[in-house]
Amino acid sequence: MTTASSKAGKNLTVQRSDHTTIRYTASGPADGSVLVLIHGWGCDRGDFDEVTGHLPEDARVLAVDLAEHGASRSGRDVWTMEEFARDVAAVLEAESVTTAVVAGHSLGAAVAVEVARLLPGTVSRVVALDGLHYLSLFPAQSEERAEALLGMFRDDFPAAVRGLVEGGSPAGTEPALVDAYFEKMVAVRQPAGLRAMEGLVRWDMDAALCGTKQPITVFAIRGLVTQEALDRYGDRLDIVLVDLGSHHFPVEAPEATAHLLADMRS
């Protein structure tokens, strides 16, 4: 395995329509097995910097900033999970990728599923990093529940973001970490931040899963998984419980996360 500081990445750009510029980092050999990394809502590709450094030398790693996250910019009006998937697909096309494992954290897991559905001949496996198992967020919600959740973000955005972060922080999580995640996520660019949340809440995961044939592995923080989620999706998702920190465990345990991802390439 490499050290976290030994694998330099190249920052690249791909242009899409609607004044959309997607920036991503590519590292590893051009002919290596491809692993695509997609960050969560309000986050950015930098969350995977240390993870990338711990991946095998033969891995070709593409870490993508979704539109209006990190360094990517867009003037578009559509903020669905499907449209975010097209951001990632544009990167795969620019890199001439023919086969890849796509891994996403949180909202990025939903995007990864949509990338797999969009590119069934290219994506061999989907990996969710503490995503897809939150029943109050990922499966399609009733209009009443969706509006109630989104209303919290519209009425008091900082308070709603704080609730998200605290909800993803098991007992014992360092308060400084909670504060750091909050400060990062509450600063997501607007109006894209709110629109992306709307897109996630209105995403129909069950329909997406029906249209996705690739195997999907979920690495979920043990203390954040409900039995209801295991009962509902255990037959479709390979849910692996891990004890690596909080919802943001790729940042907190990059080497362990890299080991998990490396095992998914075979």
Side-chain angles (χ1 to χ4, degrees):
M1 304 292 285
T2 66
T3 63
S5 60
S6 66
K7 186 179 292 183
K10 185 176 182 180
N11 294 317
L12 299 167
T13 300
V14 64
Q15 295 292 143
R16 294 195 59 217
S17 58
D18 296 324
H19 305 287
T20 297
T21 301
I22 301 300
R23 291 184 168 86
Y24 65 100
T25 301
S27 61
D31 60 350
S33 59
V34 178
L35 173 64
V36 182
L37 301 176
I38 309 170
H39 61 79
W41 180 87
C43 300
D44 58 68
R45 72 189 194 272
D47 289 347
F48 294 113
D49 285 351
E50 290 195 53
V51 173
T52 299
H54 288 293
L55 286 166
E57 290 286 359
D58 66 344
R60 177 66 168 173
V61 185
L62 305 175
V64 183
D65 273 346
L66 300 174
E68 284 299 288
H69 288 75
S72 293
R73 296 292 175 261
S74 179
R76 70 191 185 210
D77 297 321
V78 179
W79 297 97
T80 61
M81 299 305 100
E82 294 91 336
E83 192 63 25
F84 279 133
R86 295 185 184 98
D87 292 340
V88 179
V91 170
L92 298 185
E93 181 179 3
E95 291 287 318
S96 300
V97 174
T98 57
T99 184
V101 172
V102 180
H105 169 243
S106 195
L107 171 145
V111 177
V113 170
E114 288 296 342
V115 175
R117 184 156 70 152
L118 181 65
L119 301 173
T122 301
V123 178
S124 61
R125 177 185 293 273
V126 173
V127 180
L129 303 174
D130 211 55
L132 305 183
H133 62 84
Y134 291 97
L135 299 187
S136 62
L137 187 61
F138 284 93
Q141 306 295 307
S142 67
E143 186 62 24
E144 181 180 6
R145 290 189 63 179
E147 279 302 309
L149 177 57
L150 293 171
M152 293 190 291
F153 283 88
R154 294 171 185 145
D155 295 342
D156 192 339
F157 190 79
V161 174
R162 171 66 73 169
L164 272 185
V165 176
E166 292 181 350
S169 303
T173 303
E174 293 183 16
L177 278 178
V178 175
D179 290 342
Y181 297 142
F182 166 74
E183 293 296 338
K184 179 174 185 173
M185 295 169 69
V186 79
V188 63
R189 287 171 63 88
Q190 298 293 0
L194 180 56
R195 296 294 305 279
M197 182 57 66
E198 291 173 349
L200 179 59
V201 171
R202 298 189 184 283
W203 182 54
D204 189 340
M205 185 172 81
D206 293 292
L209 291 178
C210 286
T212 306
K213 305 308 179 185
Q214 298 90 330
I216 301 174
T217 299
V218 178
F219 292 113
I221 294 298
R222 189 182 309 274
L224 300 177
V225 179
T226 65
Q227 186 60 48
E228 183 182 2
L230 295 174
D231 292 341
R232 178 167 176 172
Y233 289 112
D235 291 341
R236 176 62 184 90
L237 307 175
D238 179 17
I239 302 176
V240 181
L241 304 183
V242 297
D243 298 295
L244 295 177
S246 78
H247 175 64
H248 295 268
F249 74 85
V251 175
E252 298 161 38
E255 185 170 7
T257 301
H259 279 287
L260 295 176
L261 292 172
D263 288 344
M264 292 292 99
R265 299 188 308 147
S266 58

